[in-house]
Amino acid sequence: MNAKQTIHIHLISDATGETIHLLARAALGKFAATKAIEHVWTLVRTMDHLDVIKKEISDHGGVVFYSMSDPDIRAAIEQFCQQQQTPYLSILDPAVRTLSQVLGKTATARVGAQHKMDEAYFNRMEALEFAVHHDDGQAMSSVHNADILLVGVSRSSKTPTSIYLANRGYKVANYPLVPGITPPIELMKNKDVLVVGLINEARRLSQIRRNRLESMNAEENMEYADIRKINDELNQAIKLFKEQGWPIIDVSRKSIEETAAEIINIYTQWIEEKT
Amino acid sequence: MNAKQTIHIHLISDATGETIHLLARAALGKFAATKAIEHVWTLVRTMDHLDVIKKEISDHGGVVFYSMSDPDIRAAIEQFCQQQQTPYLSILDPAVRTLSQVLGKTATARVGAQHKMDEAYFNRMEALEFAVHHDDGQAMSSVHNADILLVGVSRSSKTPTSIYLANRGYKVANYPLVPGITPPIELMKNKDVLVVGLINEARRLSQIRRNRLESMNAEENMEYADIRKINDELNQAIKLFKEQGWPIIDVSRKSIEETAAEIINIYTQWIEEKT
């Protein structure tokens, strides 16, 4: 096989580099078995900064993805890549061109305008703080202020899923089901809060919990990772979810992003049905 | 002025829609004063699902951005947009083409491959849990396990910044400076933990805190929002940061993403200097 298996990828942004980074990851995901070595350059706003980057590009080669509003720095990147015969792509250009065509106006050069601190931004920040303060069954007395409440057994990815949803602007609380402890069902029942039950395969849960006990040097507490006990726990959880009519998501083979996307779909539909 | 000021934008993804959403936001940011109405469709993997979306597109028009691995659904989107004369863009294509050229191989059709649960993924999840459990001065006894410790007065955006950095894979703790309480400096001094001090303009802090008191119905506690008291607090914070030699970031006019990007730049340089 003649194809390269490792690639250096230089990501240059005059803002935070978040968009360019996600896009590069998604595009690289289409090439199985290719390993990418990422060189990430953020807040690049001067020619001096660019000089450091040029050195790296000429040392490693590869491909350059960039997002740059300043026309001079932009031209300098392109000229340098042409000299080096390094492929380059201004990642926002196709989307900006398409929008320009529909809107009937040209783009203005503004750096990092997507990070403007508007109402949506402050809502997201508020949602993040809400999620942190309502993690793991904390502050259940104000759970009625949530949009979504995630309920699940230990290690069913409640915390990261809550945070991810908060990043998308949803106010999310999460509550852990613990064997022998009755959850505060009355607090959870609220027509304005969508409750979602999370489950995970018993075998996976056992493995995750075993790793966790080892990392905590608490291996004596093996009941936590015992597969029969876990099966009991899961059956009780599912029974509760069904009794309450809460939708159930099995997170076993899903990344947090995928679980969150499913929850958002359920939430959107739930909101539509309410109105 | 003839240009449209409101645009419907349809985002269709067979995965979580995160990349496409960020990219659309960034591209829209280049058009000042344009309001976008977003229609977000995630986990689209069947023709039936597409039928619902087609209806929305024909009802509202606008522009379609999509990311779709299935060639049949993809073709159906394109054909429909052509019929409707709705501009459309497959957002990953330019990046995939560029990579294909460099790698000398064609892309494989895999859905949501960027969400694979590899080592980096589990590190991010671990970092998120670390950030939540080390928020607001909690669990300082294990702060030595952090990569970064953020220290700042109340309302200097420590929590969302910590979470954002955790999403990027950094283990971050944060500690609030409270007047009259001596911070545990000995716990914070560790050659493997980068400590960063966050400050915010007194006037802004006062405004943010006033809003917060109002939302908590705790307006009697006005000392918290008193600008002279805040100036004292800030001066003491800056004195501490300088004594300890901790880099200082003024978050006043910065979004969380921008603050985080600065911290990552400082961290990267700090790691390079250590090695």
Side-chain angles (χ1 to χ4, degrees), chain A residues 3-5 7 9 16 18-19 22-23 25-32 34 42-43 62-63 65 69 87 89 91-92 94-96 98-108 110 113-115 117 121 124-125 128-129 132-133 135 155 159-160 163-164 167-168 253-258 261-262 265, chain B residues 3-5 7 9 16 18-19 22-23 25-32 34 42-43 62-63 65 69 87 89 91-92 94-96 98-108 110 113-115 117 121 124-125 128-129 132-133 135 155 159-160 163-164 167-168 253-258 261-262 265:
Chain A
K4 284 182 207 164
Q5 296 305 313
I7 183 173
I9 178 159
T16 66
E18 197 182 9
T19 310
L22 262 185
L23 186 112
R25 284 272 167 92
L28 282 162
K30 303 283 179 196
F31 296 88
T34 296
T42 62
L43 306 174
V63 54
F65 287 174
S69 289
L89 178 68
I91 56 140
L92 286 187
V96 169
T98 306
L99 288 172
S100 189
Q101 172 195 348
V102 183
L103 290 164
K105 58 182 173 183
T106 53
T108 46
R110 293 194 300 165
Q114 73 270 36
H115 298 122
M117 291 187 269
Y121 173 84
R124 268 197 303 134
M125 292 305 118
L128 264 182
E129 301 213 6
V132 170
H133 296 138
D135 182 57
R155 303 280 98 197
T159 297
I163 296 294
Y164 182 87
N167 263 321
R168 300 281 290 256
R253 270 171 199 79
K254 297 193 183 87
S255 68
I256 298 304
E257 291 87 348
E258 289 167 322
E262 264 194 53
N265 280 351
Chain B
K4 286 182 206 163
Q5 295 305 313
I7 183 173
I9 179 158
T16 66
E18 197 183 11
T19 309
L22 263 184
L23 185 111
R25 284 274 168 89
L28 282 161
K30 303 285 178 195
F31 297 88
T34 296
T42 61
L43 306 175
V63 55
F65 287 174
S69 289
L89 179 67
I91 56 139
L92 286 187
V96 168
T98 306
L99 287 173
S100 189
Q101 174 195 346
V102 183
L103 290 165
K105 57 183 174 183
T106 54
T108 46
R110 292 194 301 164
Q114 73 271 37
H115 297 121
M117 292 187 266
Y121 173 83
R124 269 198 302 134
M125 292 306 118
L128 264 182
E129 302 213 6
V132 171
H133 297 138
D135 182 56
R155 303 281 99 198
T159 298
I163 297 293
Y164 183 87
N167 262 319
R168 299 280 292 256
R253 270 170 199 79
K254 297 193 183 88
S255 68
I256 298 305
E257 291 88 346
E258 289 166 324
E262 265 194 51
N265 280 352

Side-chain angles (χ1 to χ4, degrees), chain B:
Chain B
M1 199 170 165
N2 209 4
K4 286 182 206 163
Q5 295 305 313
T6 296
I7 183 173
H8 284 268
I9 179 158
H10 306 267
L11 308 175
I12 310 172
S13 170
D14 52 13
T16 66
E18 197 183 11
T19 309
I20 203 169
H21 199 239
L22 263 184
L23 185 111
R25 284 274 168 89
L28 282 161
K30 303 285 178 195
F31 297 88
T34 296
K35 190 173 170 286
I37 299 166
E38 292 172 358
H39 305 260
V40 183
W41 310 93
T42 61
L43 306 175
V44 177
R45 291 168 188 179
T46 63
M47 288 289 186
D48 284 352
H49 199 165
L50 188 59
D51 286 340
V52 185
I53 301 168
K54 282 181 182 172
K55 170 125 189 7
E56 285 269 313
I57 296 173
S58 76
D59 283 356
H60 299 290
V63 55
V64 174
F65 287 174
Y66 61 98
S67 175
M68 184 59 61
S69 289
D70 184 296
D72 294 336
I73 304 181
R74 190 187 158 121
I77 294 173
E78 290 166 6
Q79 198 191 349
F80 181 78
C81 288
Q82 282 163 14
Q83 280 169 11
Q84 299 279 317
Q85 298 189 296
T86 303
Y88 60 95
L89 179 67
S90 176
I91 56 139
L92 286 187
D93 283 5
V96 168
R97 264 198 304 273
T98 306
L99 287 173
S100 189
Q101 174 195 346
V102 183
L103 290 165
K105 57 183 174 183
T106 54
T108 46
R110 292 194 301 164
V111 175
Q114 73 271 37
H115 297 121
K116 62 172 184 271
M117 292 187 266
D118 53 11
E119 199 189 328
Y121 173 83
F122 288 107
N123 286 345
R124 269 198 302 134
M125 292 306 118
E126 199 188 325
L128 264 182
E129 302 213 6
F130 187 91
V132 171
H133 297 138
H134 290 79
D135 182 56
D136 210 32
Q138 287 179 82
M140 285 297 286
S141 59
S142 52
V143 72
H144 55 273
N145 292 323
D147 298 318
I148 299 167
L149 168 64
L150 303 180
V151 181
V153 300
S154 177
R155 303 281 99 198
S156 54
S157 67
K158 296 181 297 299
T159 298
T161 307
S162 302
I163 297 293
Y164 183 87
L165 287 167
N167 262 319
R168 299 280 292 256
Y170 300 91
K171 285 170 93 171
V172 183
N174 75 75
Y175 184 87
L177 293 176
V178 179
I181 294 178
T182 311
I185 297 292
E186 287 312 312
L187 290 177
M188 295 169 165
K189 280 184 181 171
N190 188 306
K191 65 174 182 33
D192 294 327
V193 182
L194 173 72
V195 185
V196 177
L198 301 184
I199 56 170
N200 200 340
E201 275 172 17
R203 209 173 303 174
R204 277 177 181 256
L205 269 182
S206 173
Q207 189 54 51
I208 296 170
R209 289 182 177 184
R210 204 177 302 270
N211 293 345
R212 190 167 166 82
L213 289 174
E214 279 165 20
S215 76
M216 292 164 78
N217 285 318
E219 281 134 285
E220 71 283 5
N221 184 14
M222 270 309 170
E223 193 164 295
Y224 179 67
D226 183 276
I227 199 144
R228 278 167 312 175
K229 296 275 180 194
I230 289 178
N231 267 320
D232 285 350
E233 258 185 71
L234 283 172
N235 287 337
Q236 278 181 39
I238 293 168
K239 185 165 167 273
L240 171 72
F241 301 156
K242 288 190 173 162
E243 274 169 11
Q244 301 295 334
W246 297 335
I248 301 173
I249 297 182
D250 183 345
V251 307
S252 304
R253 270 170 199 79
K254 297 193 183 88
S255 68
I256 298 305
E257 291 88 346
E258 289 166 324
T259 303
E262 265 194 51
I263 294 170
I264 293 173
N265 280 352
I266 294 171
Y267 182 78
T268 309
Q269 210 183 325
W270 180 74
I271 289 285
E272 269 173 23
E273 281 165 12
K274 280 212 310 179
T275 51

